[in-house]
């Protein structure tokens, strides 16, 4: 083909890819599935599985062989930018103050599928007829299968959570945080497996050298970006940042690794704002371009999915692969969450969320295919596994979430004509209540708190209580970010704390210490009981938000102390407690 013909066919191919991806993404969304599932299906259907089998002439015209190398280049660039934006946009705040909890969830959701993957890989090597390329690298293949089953797709997971409106629920925050932690060792082990598959007896030396070189480059670049060059990047739009991501991708290729490793590392070290947040001028354009080019990656990947290449009976191996994948992720996430103290329903939701694979799994499988760890037959089986496990997530969560947390925005009703708000305040002042201070840590570990008399228990099984917090309160924002809070019931000597926190939470005036589970401030000198809670539900009602907490632990620093009560706008000890 001439240059003009290549451009002509490339434009036709791009139109076909983007139209098919958009149509099937919309169809997936209408079926309650994440749109990326439709984009992956579009890439597969444009390959040998459907179009190549039923309309080979049309496929040869839409995606001619001479154009595929150019599509592969665009796919690699799009993948690099997408993963760079993903790494840059990751929010570590859900991990703050929850190291122990997240570590247990991550250990279960990564360790169990990794072990089951090792067993599945060994079984495939021993008995499956579609491991034609794996026999040359048996140890690397077994390691690769373990990594493939232990991977979670963070972007798809975040999209599913947002679509179901459970973003601020405890299981969703823990699931996203757990996936963030587990994907790091997964990428490292994937690099080891792909490097070990390289020809030559010293492949392990190459793996160590490449990994060390990438680590040194990462540390050096991080130090440079903390200085003037980082401030220089922040003064521009996405151009220099995107260039740095592509430099990282090119560097990893030069080291014999896949582009994904350099892109992820470069994205992770891009400079953020002074408050730790992402700069939208960098993130938004890079994410937009990456999202636009990712369907091309799915088409290039889908070209290697060919079920007709499977020998008779080989498709039956999809069942044990699916069983190991689902049992490992859902079972491991459930067990880890239970060990971390979550109840059964919440723990099961965490496991289901972590079973989402989608785009990340396709990337992992593509690395394995290009490294020679997978043939087209085995690659096709694992792509089907990724599609099935991702498609399971939405329906399973739909059945589970009606029993668990969900943020429910409520419309603000108009104030009845003639209502005197002060009259309502005066009336409630004649209703004496106990006094509590609600405390929490925000995403950066900064303590927040407020005095609260709107407290009541909702349920004993599960143990739930609620507090009401003003919508403009910084404590509410911190509760949303941290996902946990403590309710400190004050005793009769705690009026100083009540007054201090009624003025905005002045922790410098009050002695406190981190509570045992999630480090929320416990006012041990002013509270006679402290309840540690995980956010179960947030319901906006007018100018306040009802915060429903699931009580995880109760401590009683001052047993038998006289409770502090509030009525007629003054504090006093509960006199009846002395009688």
């Amino acid at each position: 083909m001439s240059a003009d013909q290549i451009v002509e066919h490339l434009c036709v191919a791009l139109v076909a890819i983007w139209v098919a991806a958009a149509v099937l993404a919309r169809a997936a969304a209408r079926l309650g599935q994440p749109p990326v599932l439709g984009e992956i299906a579009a890439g597969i259907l444009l390959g040998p599985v459907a179009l190549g089998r039923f309309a080979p002439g049309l496929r040869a015209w839409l995606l001619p062989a001479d154009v595929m190398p150019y599509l592969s280049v665009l796919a690699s660039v799009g993948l690099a930018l997408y993963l760079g934006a993903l790494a840059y946009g990751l929010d570590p705040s859900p991990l703050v103050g929850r190291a122990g909890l997240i570590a247990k969830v991550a250990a279960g959701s990564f360790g169990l599928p990794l072990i089951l993957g090792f067993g599945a890989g060994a079984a495939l090597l021993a008995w499956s007829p579609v491991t034609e390329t794996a026999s040359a690298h048996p140890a690397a293949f077994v390691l690769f299968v373990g990594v493939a089953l232990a991977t979670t797709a963070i972007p798809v997971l975040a999209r599913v959570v947002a679509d179901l409106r459970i973003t601020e629920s405890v299981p969703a925050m823990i699931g996203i945080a757990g996936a963030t932690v587990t994907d790091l060792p997964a990428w490292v082990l994937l690099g080891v497996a792909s490097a070990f598959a390289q020809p030559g007896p010293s492949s392990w030396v190459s793996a160590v050298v490449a990994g060390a070189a990438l680590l040194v480059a990462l540390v050096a670049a991080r130090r440079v970006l903390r200085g003037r060059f980082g401030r220089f990047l922040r003064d521009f739009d996405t151009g220099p940042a995107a260039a740095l991501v592509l430099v990282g991708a090119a560097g990893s290729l030069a080291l014999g690794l896949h582009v994904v490793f350099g892109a992820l590392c470069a994205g992770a070290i891009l400079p953020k704002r002074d408050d730790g947040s992402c700069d939208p001028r960098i993130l938004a354009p890079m994410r937009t371009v990456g999202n636009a080019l990712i369907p091309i990656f799915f088409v290039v990947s889908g070209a290697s999915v060919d079920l007709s290449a499977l020998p008779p009976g080989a498709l039956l191996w999809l069942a044990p692969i699916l069983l190991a994948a689902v049992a490992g992720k859902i079972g491991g996430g459930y067990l880890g969450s239970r060990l971390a103290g979550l109840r059964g329903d919440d723990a099961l939701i965490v496991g289901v969320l972590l079973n989402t694979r989608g785009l990340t799994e396709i990337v992992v499988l593509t690395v394995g295919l290009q490294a020679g760890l997978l043939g087209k037959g085995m690659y096709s089986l694992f792509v089907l596994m990724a599609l099935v496990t991702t498609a399971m997530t939405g329906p399973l969560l739909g059945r589970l979430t009606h029993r668990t947390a969900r943020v429910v925005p409520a419309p603000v009703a108009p104030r009845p004509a003639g209502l005197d708000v002060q009259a309502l305040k005066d009336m409630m002042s004649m209703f004496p209540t106990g006094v509590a201070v609600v405390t929490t840590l925000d995403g950066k570990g900064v303590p927040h708190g407020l005095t609260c008399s709107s407290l009541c228990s909702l349920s004993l099984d599960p143990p739930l209580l609620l507090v009401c917090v003003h919508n403009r309160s910084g404590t509410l924002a911190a509760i949303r970010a941290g996902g946990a809070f403590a309710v400190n019931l004050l005793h009769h000597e705690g009026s100083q704390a009540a007054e201090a926190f009624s003025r905005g939470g002045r922790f410098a005036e009050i002695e406190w210490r981190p509570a045992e589970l999630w480090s929320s401030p416990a006012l041990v000198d002013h509270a006679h009981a402290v309840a540690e809670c995980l956010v179960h539900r947030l319901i906006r009602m007018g100018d306040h938000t009802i915060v429903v907490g699931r009580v995880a632990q109760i401590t009683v620093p001052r047993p038998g102390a006289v409770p502090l009560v509030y009525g007629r706008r003054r504090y006093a000890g509960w006199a009846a407690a002395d009688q």
Side-chain angles (χ1 to χ4, degrees):
M1 283 188 184
S2 66
D4 289 342
Q5 289 176 318
I6 289 176
V7 172
E8 175 188 346
H9 281 280
L10 183 61
C11 291
V12 171
L14 291 175
V15 170
I17 291 169
W18 282 328
V19 169
V23 170
L24 291 184
R26 178 67 61 88
R30 287 176 177 261
L31 294 173
Q33 295 290 347
V36 71
L37 195 65
E39 294 178 352
I40 296 173
I44 294 174
L45 293 177
L46 288 174
V49 169
L51 194 61
R53 181 175 183 182
F54 299 107
L58 178 59
R59 182 175 187 272
W61 180 75
L62 288 176
L63 301 170
D66 289 342
V67 169
M68 290 303 293
Y70 299 95
L71 291 177
S72 297
V73 171
L74 289 175
S76 296
V77 172
L79 181 63
L81 293 176
Y82 183 92
L83 294 177
L86 172 65
Y88 178 64
L90 286 178
D91 181 12
S93 61
L95 307 179
V96 176
R98 300 180 181 177
L101 186 152
I102 300 302
K104 293 175 182 177
V105 174
S109 62
F110 184 75
L112 183 59
L114 189 69
I115 293 172
L116 291 180
F118 291 162
L124 289 169
L125 275 176
W127 296 299
S128 173
V130 287
T131 53
E132 62 276 7
T133 62
S135 57
H137 315 287
F141 174 77
V142 170
L143 176 60
F144 174 82
V145 173
V147 172
L149 298 194
T151 301
T152 298
I154 298 176
V156 183
L157 169 58
R159 179 60 183 265
V160 170
V161 164
D163 289 344
L164 290 173
R165 298 173 63 199
I166 58 171
T167 304
E168 296 176 12
S169 69
V170 172
M173 290 188 289
I174 291 176
I176 292 174
T180 303
V181 172
T182 57
D183 271 11
L184 176 60
W187 288 116
V188 172
L189 291 179
L190 178 62
V192 172
S194 60
F196 278 19
Q198 299 304 312
S202 59
S203 59
W204 65 273
V205 177
S206 301
V208 173
V209 171
L214 193 60
L215 180 61
V216 170
L218 178 65
V219 173
R222 181 63 175 167
R223 292 179 64 89
V224 171
L225 290 175
R226 285 181 176 177
R228 292 183 178 179
F229 186 66
R231 292 190 293 273
F232 169 79
L233 281 181
R234 291 198 298 269
D235 290 337
F236 289 86
D237 292 333
T238 194
L244 185 61
V245 169
L246 294 180
V247 167
S252 62
L253 284 173
L255 292 170
L257 302 174
H258 198 274
V259 296
V260 300
F261 304 107
L264 284 168
C265 291
I269 64 172
L270 287 177
K272 296 188 176 182
R273 290 175 166 177
D274 294 336
D275 61 358
S277 62
C278 297
D279 190 334
R281 296 177 304 169
I282 293 176
L283 181 61
M286 194 157 55
R287 180 180 285 169
T288 300
V289 175
N291 284 333
L293 297 180
I294 276 296
I296 306 173
F297 169 74
F298 292 141
V299 168
V300 173
S301 302
S304 299
V305 177
D306 188 2
L307 298 181
S308 64
L310 293 173
L315 195 59
L316 296 175
W317 277 93
L318 179 61
I321 292 174
L322 273 173
L323 179 62
V326 173
K329 269 299 183 181
I330 296 182
Y334 176 83
L335 292 175
S337 300
R338 292 291 284 164
L339 290 174
L342 270 67
R343 292 175 59 85
D345 286 345
D346 285 350
L348 188 57
I349 289 177
V350 172
V352 172
L353 287 171
L354 291 170
N355 190 46
T356 306
R357 288 179 172 85
L359 167 62
T360 306
E361 185 71 17
I362 303 299
V363 175
V364 170
L365 297 178
T366 302
V367 173
L369 179 67
Q370 294 178 356
L373 291 170
L374 297 178
K376 285 191 175 182
M378 186 63 68
Y379 175 81
S380 301
L381 290 179
F382 273 88
V383 168
L384 290 178
M385 178 273 291
L387 288 173
V388 173
T389 53
T390 304
M392 292 169 54
T393 304
L396 285 177
L397 287 178
R399 292 179 175 272
L400 290 171
T401 50
H402 73 280
R403 303 199 297 251
T404 59
R406 180 185 294 252
V407 177
V408 182
V412 179
R415 183 184 301 169
L419 175 64
D420 185 355
V421 176
Q422 187 60 43
L424 178 60
K425 291 182 178 180
D426 292 340
M427 185 194 80
M428 295 309 299
S429 72
M430 294 183 285
F431 182 68
T433 62
V435 184
V437 172
V438 178
T439 57
T440 187
L441 298 178
D442 64 15
K444 297 182 179 180
V446 177
H448 295 259
L450 55 79
T451 301
C452 176
S453 57
S454 302
L455 166 69
C456 74
S457 61
L458 286 179
S459 168
L460 296 179
D461 187 16
L464 301 176
L465 54 77
L466 71 78
V467 295
C468 292
V469 185
H470 199 282
N471 293 335
R472 294 197 299 268
S473 169
T475 301
L476 177 61
I479 289 174
R480 290 179 183 272
F485 62 96
V487 176
N488 299 263
L489 301 184
L490 302 185
H491 53 67
H492 66 290
E493 298 176 354
S495 58
Q496 177 189 356
E499 292 284 359
F501 285 95
S502 67
R503 301 192 301 270
R506 303 184 178 181
F507 282 89
E509 303 175 17
I510 304 298
E511 184 175 353
W512 63 278
R513 66 187 63 169
E516 181 178 344
L517 294 181
W518 299 293
S519 302
S520 297
L523 312 181
V524 291
D525 290 337
H526 297 84
H528 62 90
V530 179
E532 292 186 72
C533 307
L534 283 171
V535 175
H536 178 74
R537 190 173 181 181
L538 298 171
I539 309 171
R540 185 185 176 98
M541 299 296 292
D543 58 0
H544 278 65
T545 292
I546 298 172
V547 180
V548 180
R550 175 169 280 176
V551 182
Q553 179 169 292
I554 295 175
T555 56
V556 185
R558 292 276 297 270
V562 176
L564 183 70
V565 296
Y566 179 76
R568 294 188 179 276
R569 295 189 174 85
R570 64 186 182 89
Y571 298 101
W574 185 33
D578 297 327
Q579 298 177 2

